[in-house]
Amino acid sequence: SIMKRYNKNLGDFGECAAAEYLKSEGYEILARNFRAAHGEIDIVARDGGFLVFVEVKTRSSEKYGFPSEAVDYNKRKHMRLAAEEYYRANPTDLEIRFDVTEVSAAIGGGVPHLFGINHIKGADI
C-alpha cells in the first residue's frame, strides 16, 4: 500500500538522519538494523565508554504523541533481548546504555524534509 511504503521510506530516512546526527555528536556507528531472534536494534553505537543501543522513532506529525511514547513495553522487552544477543556475539567491557532518537520529518513531493531531532540518552528500557 502507499501508506506502508510512505512509512517505510520515512522510517528509512529517519534512521539515516539519526545515524548522521549521532556521528556528528562523536558516536561511532557499529551496526545498523541489527536483526536478532527476538527483535531488531536500529543503531548500535559507541559513545565514549558506552555501548549504546538506539531506537529510532520517526514521525511526520506530533498529533499522535511524541515518538518516544511509541516505545511500548513489548518493544522495550524485544530491544533488551536483541541487545543481549548483540552483546553475546560482540562481548565488550563498555557500559551498556539504551537511547531513543526522535526524528520529526516528512516526505513531500518525494523529497524528505527533516524538522528536528531529539536524542534521549539513557532511556528507560
Side-chain angles (χ1 to χ4, degrees):
S1 78
I2 287 174
M3 277 313 291
K4 196 174 214 177
R5 199 163 57 240
Y6 170 80
N7 288 336
K8 169 112 178 79
N9 290 342
L10 188 65
D12 289 347
F13 172 72
E15 286 183 20
C16 287
E20 288 305 313
Y21 171 80
L22 292 171
K23 280 192 247 180
S24 77
E25 293 291 304
Y27 287 61
E28 177 190 356
I29 306 300
L30 303 175
R32 287 190 48 192
N33 303 117
F34 172 75
R35 281 177 171 61
H38 296 284
E40 182 179 301
I41 304 283
D42 294 327
I43 298 173
V44 182
R46 180 179 182 155
D47 177 28
F50 289 91
L51 178 64
V52 187
F53 298 99
V54 184
E55 174 69 10
V56 179
K57 286 295 174 190
T58 308
R59 289 287 183 271
S60 58
S61 169
E62 288 177 359
K63 68 182 172 190
Y64 299 111
F66 288 97
S68 63
E69 293 168 6
V71 186
D72 62 15
Y73 170 78
N74 214 30
K75 177 67 184 171
R76 291 195 300 269
K77 184 175 86 171
H78 287 153
M79 267 188 86
R80 281 195 305 273
L81 292 170
E84 285 173 17
E85 202 169 315
Y86 181 92
Y87 182 79
R88 278 197 303 277
N90 304 275
T92 178
D93 291 335
L94 298 173
E95 285 191 62
I96 305 294
R97 192 177 79 213
F98 291 91
D99 291 3
V100 176
T101 302
E102 301 174 330
V103 178
S104 298
I107 297 177
V111 180
H113 303 278
L114 178 64
F115 299 128
I117 291 178
N118 178 30
H119 183 73
I120 304 162
K121 288 185 177 183
D124 182 20
I125 303 290

